[in-house]
């Protein structure tokens, strides 16, 4: 199965919840009236597109009706597809890489979102591209996180830099950057602690890690990726809003899209937070984390 077919299959629940319901709604109305628009608004909200993004889409629909771009209920589907595709296409979704020397990816997110697994899958992706990969276990608050990263290193053939549980995370990052430079590593992926309750502590910790990395490699980290669990729907957007106050997030990794009807959250993240979605996870397999393509996502959502 090609990746597009896999994406389409992974979005089955979201498609049923969003475009499937829009289809059924359209069939039930001969003309566009206020009842239809109210039901359409409710459908978008229930698909976890988000209230603000739903308002944006409904304003566009009403404008389209006034301008005669939408004349019948059947016109709503292609119109919404176009509007959603435009939202998804905003911003740069490609992961930035260093011109020379190690590319540093700093990965953050709450525990349970699939952060360490995402790092393992990123490692596998880059190894498959023929790049050398190093993992840094800077989530030193949980021994399990360090051990889990070690296992992923063994599975994907990546080198792992680790200290003991409770060590200074910035110290791990420093050693990893030094080692990555000395060993001519292509990709350095740094795991960080998944805490958000003590926001000020997290901010100080990430600032320290950023300073250490930036001193050793100018312009690094090249990406600060926030891992979010798509199954949490609107909570993912709330988490993203909180994390952006604690760290300069450059993009989002959205995991577990295949297991949820709440994939509309991708549209909300792009529109409400103006935040690039860099990677999406659509399965359990190592190869099921892929770079996000707005065009493919919109196509898979509406086909």
């Amino acid at each position: 199965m090609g990746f597009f077919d896999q994406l389409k299959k992974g979005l089955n629940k979201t498609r049923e919840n969003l475009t499937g319901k829009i289809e059924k709604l359209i069939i039930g109305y001969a003309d566009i009236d206020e009842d239809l628009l109210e039901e359409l608004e409710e459908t978008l909200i229930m698909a976890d597109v988000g209230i603000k993004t739903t308002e944006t889409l409904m304003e566009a629909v009403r404008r389209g009706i006034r301008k005669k771009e939408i004349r019948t209920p059947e016109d709503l589907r292609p119109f919404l597809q176009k509007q959603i595709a435009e939202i998804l296409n905003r911003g740069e979704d490609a992961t930035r890489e260093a011109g020379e020397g190690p590319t540093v990816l700093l990965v953050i997110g709450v525990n349970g979102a699939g952060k360490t697994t995402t790092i393992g899958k990123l490692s596998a992706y880059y190894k498959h591209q023929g790049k050398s990969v190093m993992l840094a276990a800077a989530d030193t608050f949980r021994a399990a996180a360090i051990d889990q990263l070690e296992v992923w290193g063994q599975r994907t053939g990546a080198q792992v830099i680790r200290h003991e549980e409770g060590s200074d995370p910035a110290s791990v990052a420093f050693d990893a950057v030094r080692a990555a430079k000395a060993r001519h590593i292509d990709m350095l992926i740094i795991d960080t602690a998944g805490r958000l309750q003590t926001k000020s502590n997290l901010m100080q910790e990430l600032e320290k890690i950023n300073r250490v990395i930036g001193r050793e490699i100018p312009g690094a980290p090249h990406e600060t990726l926030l891992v979010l669990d798509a199954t949490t729907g609107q909570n993912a957007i709330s988490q993203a809003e909180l994390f952006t106050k604690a760290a300069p997030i450059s993009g989002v990794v959205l995991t577990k899209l295949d297991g949820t009807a709440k994939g509309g959250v991708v549209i909300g993240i792009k529109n409400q937070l103006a935040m690039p979605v860099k990677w999406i996870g659509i399965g359990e397999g190592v190869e099921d984390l892929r770079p996000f393509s707005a065009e493919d996502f919109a196509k898979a959502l509406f086909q």
Side-chain angles (χ1 to χ4, degrees):
M1 188 187 291
F3 186 69
F4 178 74
D5 292 327
Q6 207 178 336
L7 175 63
K8 201 173 163 186
K9 185 184 173 193
L11 290 177
N12 268 345
K13 290 180 183 175
T14 295
R15 194 166 46 251
E16 285 166 17
N17 197 31
L18 179 58
T19 49
K21 285 185 179 173
I22 290 170
E23 284 284 358
K24 287 174 187 167
L25 183 59
I26 288 165
I27 291 165
Y29 284 86
D31 300 298
I32 294 173
D33 60 18
E34 203 53 45
D35 286 346
L36 169 58
L37 294 178
E38 278 181 20
E39 280 198 61
L40 177 60
E41 186 171 4
E42 188 181 326
T43 299
L44 291 167
I45 290 169
M46 295 305 286
D48 273 77
V49 168
I51 290 172
K52 287 184 182 175
T53 306
T54 296
E55 285 171 1
T56 301
L57 288 169
M58 291 308 298
E59 280 169 19
V61 165
R62 291 179 188 279
R63 199 163 52 244
I65 293 166
R66 286 196 303 273
K67 291 182 175 179
K68 310 291 186 200
E69 292 170 16
I70 302 170
R71 295 173 183 271
T72 68
E74 287 76 26
D75 294 335
L76 281 167
R77 191 179 188 278
F79 183 86
L80 279 168
Q81 181 174 348
K82 184 169 174 278
Q83 294 297 319
I84 287 169
E86 281 176 11
I87 289 171
L88 291 172
N89 270 305
R90 288 178 202 157
E92 178 52 63
D93 290 316
T95 300
R96 288 191 299 271
E97 293 188 22
E100 58 178 81
T103 293
V104 182
L105 308 181
L106 192 64
V107 183
I108 65 177
V110 297
N111 294 326
K115 183 166 55 76
T116 312
T117 302
T118 292
I119 291 168
K121 290 180 178 181
L122 283 170
S123 174
Y125 177 87
Y126 286 118
K127 288 291 283 187
H128 186 68
Q129 285 194 330
K131 295 184 177 180
S132 55
V133 179
M134 178 178 283
L135 308 179
D139 181 354
T140 58
F141 291 87
R142 291 187 311 130
I146 299 170
D147 293 341
Q148 197 182 351
L149 207 67
E150 189 88 68
V151 169
W152 273 109
Q154 289 164 4
R155 278 182 70 183
T156 61
Q159 300 176 44
V160 179
I161 301 297
R162 58 175 290 174
H163 289 189
E164 293 305 308
E165 182 185 1
S167 304
D168 178 14
S171 168
V172 180
F174 176 78
D175 284 354
V177 169
R178 281 285 178 95
K181 284 169 71 180
R183 300 174 199 176
H184 305 289
I185 295 292
D186 297 315
M187 308 297 299
L188 171 60
I189 309 172
I190 303 174
D191 189 15
T192 62
R195 312 182 318 286
L196 191 57
Q197 296 85 347
T198 52
K199 202 167 61 188
S200 59
N201 288 358
L202 177 68
M203 194 183 297
Q204 286 160 13
E205 185 180 299
L206 290 171
E207 280 173 357
K208 190 175 174 186
I209 290 172
N210 276 316
R211 273 199 314 274
V212 163
I213 295 168
R215 270 202 309 265
E216 294 298 313
I217 302 175
H222 302 93
E223 293 280 4
T224 299
L225 300 173
L226 173 62
V227 178
L228 297 171
D229 179 346
T231 64
T232 63
Q234 287 305 291
N235 282 342
I237 290 183
S238 302
Q239 271 181 31
E241 284 177 327
L242 286 169
F243 267 106
T244 53
K245 291 171 185 170
I249 310 297
S250 62
V252 164
V253 181
L254 208 57
T255 66
K256 308 176 192 176
L257 268 169
D258 58 309
T260 183
K262 298 177 177 182
V265 73
V266 174
I267 306 160
I269 287 168
K270 293 278 284 190
N271 183 64
Q272 195 172 323
L273 303 177
M275 192 178 284
V277 177
K278 302 272 183 175
W279 299 80
I280 53 171
I282 52 162
E284 297 285 321
V286 168
E287 70 289 345
D288 293 334
L289 181 79
R290 294 292 181 92
F292 177 73
S293 161
E295 192 179 324
D296 285 351
F297 190 89
K299 197 170 155 192
L301 202 55
F302 280 88
Q303 271 195 7

